[in-house]
Amino acid sequence: MSSLQIRNLRKSYGAVEVLKDINLQAESGEFVALVGPSGCGKSTLLSIIAGLESVTSGEVLIGDRVVNHEAPKDRDIAMVFQSYALYPTMTVRQNMTFGMECRNIDKATQDATIARVAALLQIEPLLNRKPGQLSGGQRQRVAMGRALVRDPKLFLFDEPLSNLDAKLRVEMRSEIKKLHQNVGRTTVYVTHDQIEAMTLATRIAVMHQGVLQQYDTPKAIYETPANTFVAGFMGSPNMNFFSGQVTASGAGLGVVLDGGGPHVLPLSTGHQTALSDGQPVTLGVRPEHFSPAHAQRAARKGHASVRLPVSIEMDEPTGAETILMCRIAGQEAITVCEPDEAPKPGETVEFEIDMGKISLFDPKTEARL
């Protein structure tokens, strides 16, 4: 196994800088997800790690070796592509052994490796078929098998599930997670799907416009996002953002939402450290941290809460939960609740906000306060 380090990496195409001073480190055996919207630079970064793109400045290290000028074949990596990239005229077995034959690995070792990997991926019955006879999920398993037979230091995945339907994506996500647990190799996984990133990765690198916005565990990124972009991108439905200002409230500070009238949202001690009376703020609340007041969910958990009137505009039942589009203090919001707790469109009811779960951001810099 081997670690990966990216140091002060920049990549430009002429005057256009697509990666801006990227620094991250993946320890041996970690699963790192590069996530962000289209055009954020995540696939370019993966191509640089693979050796398919050169760097403008900075270093890429695999283990303790700088690999900037090494060819892809010399980096001891294996890559799984979005398009599977299987040879259509070869059988599954031939697709998987092709690389080993190029490296002059003996036949007995090839057979033993194929048997081990095919059993791991449960593709033994497919070894004599050609790619055209396989489903999308089977082709993706074969593509992973071709990478696994190399036994590399580093696995690279470039949006491997984006061509699959929703049900198969969920199944393959579980397969990839089990595969990583069994093999234990350092893995870098590019995706635009934040659910994939949250469920698979040990650490997530959130990128936007070529800048690494935050690099941390899924739990830390979800609960303490570094800025409003990370907060809004990670999570489904998205985090709600309310404009407001800090106000003195009793012995401490609170937040009054713009258009919120007399309602003061008291802040916990931890949120008050760097704030002052009258300071404008953006209040971030995830949809699941609202709940109908009659449910008393926050009280059951022992959390501080505050009640606000909420005007329900539309509902979206999904089975396990109901998503509500509503207005709080005249500002748009999304909440989720259990189906039997959900109020009806057109109603105005009280909701509790779990004040222990809120985030505060600077409206100008968008950075977390």
Side-chain angles (χ1 to χ4, degrees):
M1 294 190 289
S2 188
S3 62
L4 169 71
Q5 294 182 68
I6 309 294
R7 294 178 180 170
N8 306 316
L9 190 141
R10 292 180 178 272
K11 175 65 179 178
S12 298
Y13 295 102
V16 180
E17 191 172 30
V18 295
L19 292 175
K20 306 170 185 178
D21 198 27
I22 304 295
N23 287 275
L24 64 83
Q25 180 168 343
E27 301 299 336
S28 184
E30 272 200 289
F31 194 120
V32 173
L34 306 180
V35 66
S38 298
C40 70
K42 57 187 184 295
S43 291
T44 301
L45 179 56
L46 192 77
S47 295
I48 287 172
I49 296 169
L52 304 175
E53 291 273 5
S54 61
V55 303
T56 301
S57 64
E59 292 181 328
V60 178
L61 291 87
I62 298 176
D64 56 0
R65 191 173 89 252
V66 177
V67 298
N68 285 34
H69 304 294
E70 292 190 8
K73 67 182 179 64
D74 298 324
R75 297 193 180 198
D76 198 9
I77 61 170
M79 193 161 182
V80 179
F81 296 92
Q82 175 181 346
S83 60
Y84 318 131
L86 301 175
Y87 298 108
T89 59
M90 294 183 180
T91 65
V92 168
R93 183 186 298 275
Q94 290 168 334
N95 266 280
M96 292 172 66
T97 58
F98 183 75
M100 292 189 284
E101 290 173 355
C102 292
R103 299 194 303 275
N104 297 315
I105 294 173
D106 65 86
K107 186 69 164 58
T109 302
Q110 288 184 33
D111 290 343
T113 303
I114 291 295
R116 174 178 58 83
V117 172
L120 182 65
L121 294 171
Q122 299 179 357
I123 57 173
E124 298 105 316
L126 310 179
L127 291 176
N128 294 320
R129 297 188 194 178
K130 291 184 178 179
Q133 299 171 302
L134 306 178
S135 68
Q138 289 170 334
R139 291 181 195 181
Q140 196 57 272
R141 279 193 176 88
V142 174
M144 289 191 288
R146 187 176 54 187
L148 280 168
V149 297
R150 290 200 53 163
D151 194 26
K153 290 182 178 177
L154 201 63
F155 281 111
L156 306 179
F157 288 82
D158 188 10
E159 301 200 47
L161 307 185
S162 59
N163 286 339
L164 305 179
D165 62 54
K167 183 175 184 293
L168 194 51
R169 277 202 306 271
V170 174
E171 293 174 0
M172 288 303 301
R173 200 164 67 209
S174 298
E175 293 296 327
I176 291 173
K177 188 155 190 170
K178 285 190 287 187
L179 179 64
H180 180 257
Q181 290 172 344
N182 289 332
V183 177
R185 289 289 185 269
T186 309
T187 300
V188 182
Y189 186 101
V190 165
T191 181
H192 63 273
D193 186 333
Q194 47 92 16
I195 298 296
E196 282 182 25
M198 291 289 292
T199 55
L200 289 172
T202 53
R203 280 199 283 180
I204 298 174
V206 184
M207 299 181 65
H208 181 48
Q209 297 180 343
V211 177
L212 181 61
Q213 303 289 322
Q214 188 171 1
Y215 182 48
D216 214 326
T217 64
K219 178 180 172 65
I221 281 178
Y222 191 78
E223 294 183 355
T224 55
N227 54 44
T228 55
F229 174 79
V230 176
F233 189 81
M234 302 301 293
S236 180
N238 296 341
M239 179 180 278
N240 296 292
F241 298 108
F242 302 101
S243 60
Q245 65 177 19
V246 178
T247 185
S249 175
L253 297 175
V255 172
V256 174
L257 303 183
D258 293 345
H263 298 282
V264 178
L265 283 60
L267 297 174
S268 66
T269 304
H271 281 118
Q272 296 188 33
T273 309
L275 300 176
S276 58
D277 188 19
Q279 178 181 349
V281 292
T282 298
L283 176 74
V285 187
R286 294 211 176 271
E288 66 270 23
H289 298 146
F290 293 103
S291 60
H294 63 79
Q296 295 186 321
R297 202 179 304 163
R300 291 200 302 268
K301 295 178 180 178
H303 293 176
S305 66
V306 64
R307 295 187 177 193
L308 287 176
V310 175
S311 301
I312 310 301
E313 296 187 336
M314 187 171 68
D315 62 353
E316 291 184 350
T318 65
E321 63 184 15
T322 297
I323 300 172
L324 300 171
M325 271 61 73
C326 54
R327 285 191 174 271
I328 298 175
Q331 302 182 47
E332 292 184 355
I334 297 176
T335 74
V336 293
C337 62
E338 296 179 10
D340 58 357
E341 295 177 353
K344 302 298 181 185
E347 292 183 340
T348 297
V349 296
E350 282 195 329
F351 267 58
E352 288 183 328
I353 297 179
D354 185 344
M355 296 304 293
K357 298 290 188 177
I358 67 165
S359 295
L360 293 175
F361 304 95
D362 186 309
K364 292 183 178 179
T365 66
E366 299 186 348
R368 185 180 187 85
L369 292 170

